[in-house]
C-alpha cells in the first residue's frame, strides 16, 4: 500500500455511487459495552443478520477485535470473512476509507481524519485513535493505495455520491464546530470535490432530529439513481422532524446536479411512532467516563433512509412501526431488481446508528473479487 | 471459510513443492522479547530484509500484533501488506496452515494442532493458544476452506513435499514424546499421506544438532526438484553434526520416492565455525517463567538448508562464516533461474529458527493473485 499525497480528482479517481456494483462490503463486530447494551450480545445478533443478508449478494468482510474472534466466527456464516483489527467501535461507514475508482477500474481509498464525531468539542467517545488508524489498515488489507487526508475530519456517513460528479452532504454536520472549524465553507467544498472527484456539492441544511452525528446525510437523504433521491419525510407538522425535512426539500427543489439535472424527490416516511430508548435498555449499557450514553426515554434518530444497497438486495431497517411495510414498498419501487430484506434495527439504533452506518461498500474494481 | 472434516487426499488435494510457483508468502512480525533480544529491534531489521527480498518476486503479507502495527508499517516497504493478527510468536512456517491444491487450482489450508514444539513435555513457550488458532484465521484471511486437523500435532517446518507424492520428514521430531505419543509410526505415516495428499514418506532419522524443534527436517534437507535433495553436511568427523548427517545420507541412499526414483543427494555444508550465542546477546533477552531462553555460549542450529524459495529468488541465510559464499554457489547451481539473495540470519537464529521458519509460501492457485 502506498500513501498518496495527491488528490483523487487530480489523479482521475472519483467515488462511485452506492447503487453501482460492488465487489464486497466491510463491517466491524460490535464489542464496546457502553455503546451496545448487555455486553453487545443483542447487537451482535443484529449485525449477524445484516452480514448474512448482504453476503447473499456480495463478499462480506467483518473486522473483529481479537477478544471476540472465536465468538464472531461461531456466530457468523462461513461466507462471511473474519479478519482481526482493533478499532474503538463498530462504525465501518464512518471510520472506513471512502473508496474511489478510475476509468481503468483501479480502486484506491481515501483516509479521512476521524475524531469520533466532534473530538473534544462534542465527540461521542474518547480516545478514537484506533478508529482513526483503521482506514489505512483497511486499504492495506485490500491492497489498495491510500490518499492521506487525515488533516480533514470527515465520516463516510456524512457524504453520498451519485457517481457522476455530485456529492450530497449536510451543512449541520460539515460546518460543525468539532470538525474543521478553521476551514471556510468554500474550502470545505473544494476538499469534497478534490477528494471525491466531484464537481458539485449539494448542501442539505439539516438531517434527522436528534441524530448525534450532527445530522449525517445518510440518515435523511440518499441517491437511488443519478438525478433521483429519497428524502426522509413526515406529514406531521408537530413532529420536530417536519421542519428539518421541509428545509431539505425546499433546498433540493432549487438545485441541479453536476449534470445540470433537476432532482426527482421521493418521500420516504419516518416511523409513525417516535423510537425511544427504554429505561431497562439504558440500564444495560455500561457507563463511560461517568456519563450514561443515553437518558431513559430519549428519542433515537430512526430513519428508513439508513438502508444498505447490496448488489442484489436492499437491507432495510425496521422498527416495529406501522410504517415499516410502507418503507419496504417504496424501496421495492425504487430498486425493482433487488430483493428487499427487512431487518429489525432496534439494537443498532440503540448503539447510535443504523444499517448504513455499520456497512461500507467496496466498489467493483477492474479485476474480479478483491483488489489483488 | 468452511471447516472441512474430510481429508485432502480423499478430496484430490496435495501439498505442492516449495520450488513450484507461488501466489505469495506469509510472515509474522517478531514481538516477544524473550525470543528476540533487545525488545525485538535487531530481529525486526532482519525480518524486513527477508520480506523485502521476497516481495521482489511475490506478494508478501506480514501479520502483526496491534501493538507493533505502526512501527511495522513504517519499517516495511509499501509492497508488503500488513494485516493485524495476534499470535504468540513469529513462526509462520510452524503455526501457519499448510496449503494444498487440487487439479483445478483450488487452494485449501490444513490446520494442524500446534503446541509450541512439544507442549508441556518439552515445548518452548506457554501458552500457545494464539498460535494454535492462527492457521484457521489465515485461511479465512485468504478466503480458503480449512481442513480441521487440530487433533494431530505438527509444524510446517517438520515436512517437505516434492509435490509429486513424496513427503520428507524426521523421525526424531514426528515421534517425539511431546507431540502425538499415542499414535503408532504407521498411524503417523497414514496421517501425513492423508493430510498432504502423499503416497510415500521418507523418514530421515535426525536433523541438525541442537535444533530445539526436535530436529525439524527444514533445517537439514530440502527438495530442489523431484528426485533431488540438498542435505546439510560436514566432513568434520569431530563435529556432532557429522553422525546425524551421515545417518540421513545412509537412509536416503537406500530409498526411492513416490515415483520409484532413487534420489540425487547434494551436500550443502554447514558453517565451518559453530554459531554460538554470546553472553551479551543472552543478557538482552527477557526472562520468561524464570528460565533464560539460552545459556551463554550455547551452539545454535545454523544451517544453510533453511533458505526460502521465492518465485524468482532464493533467500539464503548467512552467518559471517567462510562457508557463506560456498553455500550461495551451490544454491546458484541448483536454482539457475533464481537470484541468490544472501541475508544475515544471525538475529533470526537467536530467536530459535531461520529464514524458512519465518516464512510460509502460498502456492499458485487457479485464479490470479489471492484466492478470491
Amino acid at each position: 500500500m502506498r500513501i498518496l499525497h495527491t488528490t483523487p480528482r487530480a489523479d482521475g479517481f472519483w467515488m462511485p455511487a452506492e447503487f453501482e456494483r460492488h465487489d464486497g462490503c466491510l463491517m466491524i463486530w460490535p464489542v464496546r459495552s457502553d455503546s451496545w447494551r448487555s455486553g453487545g450480545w443483542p447487537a451482535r445478533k443484529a449485525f449477524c443478520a445484516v452480514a448474512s443478508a448482504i453476503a447473499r449478494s456480495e463478499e462480506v468482510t467483518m473486522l473483529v477485535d481479537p477478544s471476540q474472534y472465536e465468538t464472531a466466527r461461531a456466530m457468523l456464516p462461513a461466507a462471511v470473512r473474519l479478519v482481526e483489527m482493533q478499532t474503538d467501535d463498530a462504525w465501518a461507514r464512518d471510520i472506513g476509507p471512502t473508496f474511489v475508482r478510475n476509468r481503468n477500474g483501479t480502486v484506491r481509498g481515501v483516509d479521512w481524519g476521524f475524531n469520533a464525531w466532534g473530538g473534544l468539542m462534542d465527540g461521542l467517545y474518547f480516545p478514537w485513535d484506533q478508529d482513526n488508524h483503521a482506514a489505512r489498515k483497511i486499504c492495506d488489507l485490500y491492497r489498495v493505495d491510500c490518499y492521506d487526508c487525515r488533516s480533514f475530519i470527515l465520516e463516510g456517513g456524512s457524504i453520498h455520491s451519485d457517481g457522476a460528479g455530485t456529492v450530497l452532504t449536510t451543512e449541520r454536520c460539515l460546518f460543525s464546530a468539532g470538525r474543521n472549524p478553521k476551514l471556510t465553507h468554500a474550502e470545505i467544498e473544494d476538499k469534497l470535490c478534490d477528494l471525491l472527484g466531484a464537481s458539485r456539492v449539494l448542501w442539505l441544511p439539516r438531517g434527522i432530529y436528534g441524530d448525534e452525528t450532527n445530522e449525517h446525510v445518510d440518515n435523511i437523504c440518499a441517491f437511488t439513481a443519478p438525478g433521483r433521491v429519497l428524502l426522509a419525510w413526515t406529514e406531521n407538522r408537530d413532529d420536530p422532524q417536519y421542519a428539518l425535512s421541509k428545509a431539505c426539500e425546499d433546498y433540493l427543489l432549487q438545485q441541479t446536479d453536476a449534470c445540470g439535472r433537476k432532482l426527482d424527490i421521493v418521500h420516504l416516511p419516518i416511523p409513525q411512532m417516535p423510537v425511544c430508548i427504554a429505561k431497562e435498555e439504558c440500564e444495560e449499557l455500561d457507563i463511560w467516563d461517568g456519563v450514561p450514553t443515553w437518558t431513559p426515554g430519549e428519542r433515537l434518530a430512526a430513519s428508513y433512509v439508513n438502508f444498505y444497497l447490496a448488489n442484489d438486495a436492499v437491507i432495510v431497517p425496521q422498527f416495529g412501526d406501522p410504517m415499516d411495510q410502507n418503507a419496504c414498498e417504496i424501496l421495492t419501487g425504487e430498486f425493482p431488481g433487488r430483493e428487499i430484506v427487512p431487518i429489525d434495527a432496534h439494537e443498532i439504533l440503540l448503539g447510535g446508528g443504523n444499517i448504513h452506518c455499520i456497512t461500507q461498500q467496496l466498489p467493483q474494481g477492474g479485476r474480479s473479487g478483491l483488489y489483488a
Side-chain angles (χ1 to χ4, degrees), chain A:
Chain A
M1 172 194 61
R2 292 178 304 155
I3 302 296
L4 307 173
H5 299 283
T6 53
T7 70
R9 184 155 74 164
D11 295 342
F13 285 72
W14 70 91
M15 180 186 177
E18 190 172 328
F19 54 72
E20 297 179 59
R21 297 292 292 179
H22 304 170
D23 271 353
C25 176
L26 190 74
M27 296 181 64
I28 305 170
W29 192 247
V31 175
R32 60 185 296 159
S33 52
D34 58 335
S35 287
W36 311 99
R37 73 179 178 107
S38 301
W41 279 94
R44 282 174 206 138
K45 290 180 191 169
F47 275 58
C48 281
V50 171
S52 301
I54 298 171
R56 292 205 296 271
S57 61
E58 60 196 47
E59 190 268 341
V60 176
T61 291
M62 181 77 74
L63 305 177
V64 63
D65 185 88
S67 66
Q68 273 283 312
Y69 187 96
E70 298 285 323
T71 303
R73 190 61 281 170
M75 289 179 71
L76 288 163
V80 173
R81 177 172 75 145
L82 198 60
V83 175
E84 281 183 46
M85 192 175 293
Q86 283 200 337
T87 58
D88 294 303
D89 205 350
W91 307 104
R93 177 66 51 187
D94 289 347
I95 73 167
T98 297
F99 292 102
V100 292
R101 190 178 59 200
N102 71 3
R103 288 184 187 281
N104 303 325
T106 299
V107 172
R108 292 177 175 169
V110 177
D111 176 16
W112 315 97
F114 179 82
N115 69 358
W117 309 273
L120 300 181
M121 174 82 66
D122 60 348
L124 300 174
Y125 48 70
F126 175 90
W128 54 79
D129 58 311
Q130 299 286 355
D131 278 353
N132 192 31
H133 290 161
R136 208 164 281 195
K137 295 177 181 178
I138 292 164
C139 288
D140 208 0
L141 175 65
Y142 283 98
R143 299 185 176 83
V144 300
D145 291 332
C146 179
Y147 287 100
D148 173 16
C149 310
R150 280 197 191 157
S151 63
F152 182 66
I153 302 293
L154 186 132
E155 309 94 38
S158 70
I159 48 168
H160 267 310
S161 168
D162 70 351
T166 313
V167 168
L168 198 60
T169 188
T170 59
E171 290 187 340
R172 179 57 67 114
C173 176
L174 266 71
F175 302 149
S176 64
R179 288 181 174 81
N180 303 290
K182 292 184 179 168
L183 298 185
T184 65
H185 290 210
E187 287 169 335
I188 290 176
E189 184 157 318
D190 284 348
K191 283 273 185 197
L192 291 179
C193 289
D194 284 346
L195 299 176
L196 298 170
S199 56
R200 176 93 173 96
V201 179
L202 296 177
W203 289 101
L204 300 184
R206 300 293 299 268
I208 291 289
Y209 173 77
D211 188 326
E212 60 181 357
T213 65
N214 306 97
E215 304 178 12
H216 271 179
V217 72
D218 73 343
N219 218 11
I220 189 162
C221 193
F223 286 108
T224 63
R228 190 171 176 91
V229 296
L230 283 163
L231 180 65
W233 193 256
T234 177
E235 297 289 351
N236 177 3
R237 297 188 177 219
D238 295 332
D239 189 310
Q241 183 58 41
Y242 179 82
L244 278 59
S245 290
K246 185 69 167 60
C248 290
E249 184 178 58
D250 290 348
Y251 172 82
L252 286 170
L253 287 170
Q254 298 165 23
Q255 303 301 318
T256 53
D257 67 14
C259 300
R261 277 178 295 235
K262 299 292 286 181
L263 294 163
D264 294 329
I265 303 169
V266 179
H267 289 171
L268 191 62
I270 61 169
Q272 194 171 303
M273 307 297 295
V275 180
C276 300
I277 187 164
K279 181 165 176 293
E280 313 81 74
E281 291 169 337
C282 279
E283 288 169 353
E284 290 174 358
L285 282 162
D286 282 356
I287 305 295
W288 168 77
D289 206 15
V291 186
T293 308
W294 300 106
T295 49
E298 199 170 344
R299 177 168 169 176
L300 305 171
S303 164
Y304 299 106
V305 171
N306 210 302
F307 55 82
Y308 178 74
L309 278 179
N311 278 339
D312 306 319
V314 189
I315 319 300
V316 186
Q318 303 279 276
F319 310 108
D321 186 270
M323 284 296 168
D324 282 2
Q325 178 65 23
N326 197 336
C328 287
E329 284 163 10
I330 292 169
L331 289 165
T332 301
E334 291 299 310
F335 301 105
R338 303 188 205 224
E339 180 192 7
I340 302 297
V341 184
I343 290 184
D344 184 345
H346 186 74
E347 294 296 335
I348 310 174
L349 215 57
L350 293 180
N354 210 324
I355 291 172
H356 195 257
C357 309
I358 63 169
T359 51
Q360 176 78 245
Q361 71 276 6
L362 294 117
Q364 189 166 57
R367 285 170 288 190
S368 68
L370 319 176
Y371 305 125

